[in-house]
Amino acid sequence: MPKHLFGDSFGYDMQKDVETHMSDFYAGRIDKRELDQYFSDCCTEMRKYQVQKHWSTGNVDEDNRKIISEVYEIFAKENARAARRANYDEGAKLNAEYGYRNYDWVYYNADYYYQCADVRESLGTMANEIAQKWGSGSIDTEEIEKNSDLTLDGGFDFNSGWNFSYRNQVGRASMADESLQPPRDFRFFYKEDVDNVSKMDMWINGRKYEKDIPFYITPDSLEGQLFQADEIWKEHDEQIDNVRGYSDFMSHLSLFTGWYAWSTGINNHFGNYIPENTYWNYG
């Protein structure tokens, strides 16, 4: 069998179709049952293709595990990417209300974190059910993800992809610990420049909170260009402190200016990372 089953035109077309189906799922155009069936169909079609190419008989356990494993890898990766795109598109609609500057905003919707995690778990279950049906043993999804080459834009979870988008590409926010679970029914939107004022909106349990971020820029220091999110929202602590996971999540979230990102090179750091001290002097 080929080293990479998705390395030819058949595999490429299947991956593009998986991407489309994942986008359709997050847009609500197909449901979870249809997505599960599509995963099963892709495993079957990839198995048939390998037999037609005479690369496998279709009855070798090792070959069948490889087929299921690589289909899982593609589905799990496209799931994370689709969740990230859905989050971005939702944030872009909020940003459009300001009417300008489409590169200085950040958005996080915890619904996509949990939806991404649920689909990822379901894909692992489906992979093992198919392996059992084919009599091919079990599928170690953790090992697949650990050894995957598809991690340049984040891993198979929502938070690492979110960090790639807003730390490494946009350069305005960073999550120190990507394993943290956000509070449920939680969203936030941060924009660096709205009529020369930086703003952050937050929604928890359907209630909206608004806050200006007191950034300030001096010519020889980065002081005042980075804040921890929990510092910004201290005045609301009594109102929202009982929300499970809120304090831990916000304390690991950093918001900063584009100048800070450019000066420190934070966008070149990947994975778990704590930003440099606010008072770092580059002069």
Side-chain angles (χ1 to χ4, degrees):
M1 293 181 72
K3 183 177 180 181
H4 299 292
L5 304 186
F6 285 82
D8 62 7
S9 60
F10 179 87
Y12 177 79
D13 288 344
M14 180 178 283
Q15 181 169 357
K16 294 300 292 182
D17 201 42
V18 171
E19 178 185 343
T20 299
H21 275 73
M22 280 297 177
S23 294
D24 286 346
F25 172 75
Y26 279 91
R29 290 187 287 269
I30 63 174
D31 60 24
K32 185 63 174 53
R33 181 189 58 80
E34 293 171 300
L35 188 63
D36 288 347
Q37 183 60 53
Y38 177 63
F39 177 84
S40 178
D41 292 344
C42 283
C43 289
T44 300
E45 290 304 311
M46 181 59 79
R47 187 187 192 188
K48 289 180 181 178
Y49 178 71
Q50 299 304 312
V51 172
Q52 290 168 0
K53 286 292 190 177
H54 305 291
W55 292 329
S56 176
T57 64
N59 297 312
V60 178
D61 289 346
E62 182 180 356
D63 291 353
N64 288 338
R65 283 195 298 271
K66 180 178 177 65
I67 290 168
I68 298 168
S69 295
E70 291 202 24
V71 171
Y72 168 82
E73 182 182 16
I74 293 298
F75 266 78
K77 185 61 191 184
E78 293 302 334
N79 170 52
R81 286 171 173 163
R84 192 174 77 204
R85 286 194 301 269
N87 181 83
Y88 178 89
D89 290 345
E90 197 169 283
K93 291 179 181 179
L94 289 172
N95 183 67
E97 296 176 6
Y98 294 105
Y100 63 101
R101 290 174 65 108
N102 194 37
Y103 55 83
D104 65 345
W105 58 270
V106 172
Y107 182 69
Y108 189 102
N109 186 338
D111 288 351
Y112 294 120
Y113 169 91
Y114 287 104
Q115 193 173 17
C116 180
D118 289 345
V119 172
R120 182 184 179 189
E121 182 179 1
S122 178
L123 290 172
T125 300
M126 286 289 298
N128 275 286
E129 287 178 353
I130 293 170
Q132 185 177 16
K133 179 181 178 181
W134 290 1
S136 302
S138 62
I139 305 298
D140 189 340
T141 57
E142 290 186 8
E143 193 68 15
I144 293 169
E145 295 178 11
K146 178 182 176 182
N147 294 295
S148 177
D149 294 329
L150 306 178
T151 56
L152 291 178
D153 60 344
F156 294 79
D157 61 297
F158 179 77
N159 284 346
S160 62
W162 185 89
N163 250 350
F164 177 79
S165 293
Y166 294 109
R167 180 205 290 166
N168 302 117
Q169 293 186 312
V170 176
R172 294 301 191 284
S174 176
M175 192 179 301
D177 184 353
E178 294 175 349
S179 69
L180 282 178
Q181 290 186 345
R184 290 186 179 272
D185 196 17
F186 166 81
R187 297 185 292 142
F188 79 83
F189 177 83
Y190 148 53
K191 187 170 178 65
E192 181 182 351
D193 188 359
V194 183
D195 297 327
N196 297 317
V197 177
S198 298
K199 293 182 176 291
M200 182 175 176
D201 297 336
M202 182 170 64
W203 296 261
I204 292 187
N205 295 333
R207 181 172 181 177
K208 182 179 180 182
Y209 303 86
E210 300 176 84
K211 193 80 171 74
D212 292 347
I213 305 176
F215 289 133
Y216 60 91
I217 298 177
T218 57
D220 59 355
S221 173
L222 294 180
E223 180 181 356
Q225 296 186 50
L226 177 146
F227 285 94
Q228 296 303 114
D230 58 336
E231 295 176 1
I232 298 170
W233 294 95
K234 281 183 178 179
E235 67 183 73
H236 295 297
D237 277 354
E238 290 185 4
Q239 297 169 280
I240 56 182
D241 192 50
N242 62 336
V243 175
R244 184 177 181 182
Y246 166 79
S247 296
D248 284 345
F249 186 78
M250 298 298 271
S251 67
H252 283 79
L253 181 66
S254 301
L255 307 176
F256 40 85
T257 65
W259 179 248
Y260 176 92
W262 182 87
S263 300
T264 63
I266 190 174
N267 56 343
N268 293 319
H269 292 275
F270 297 86
N272 292 345
Y273 177 72
I274 299 175
E276 298 180 46
N277 190 289
T278 310
Y279 298 96
W280 180 79
N281 189 307
Y282 66 91

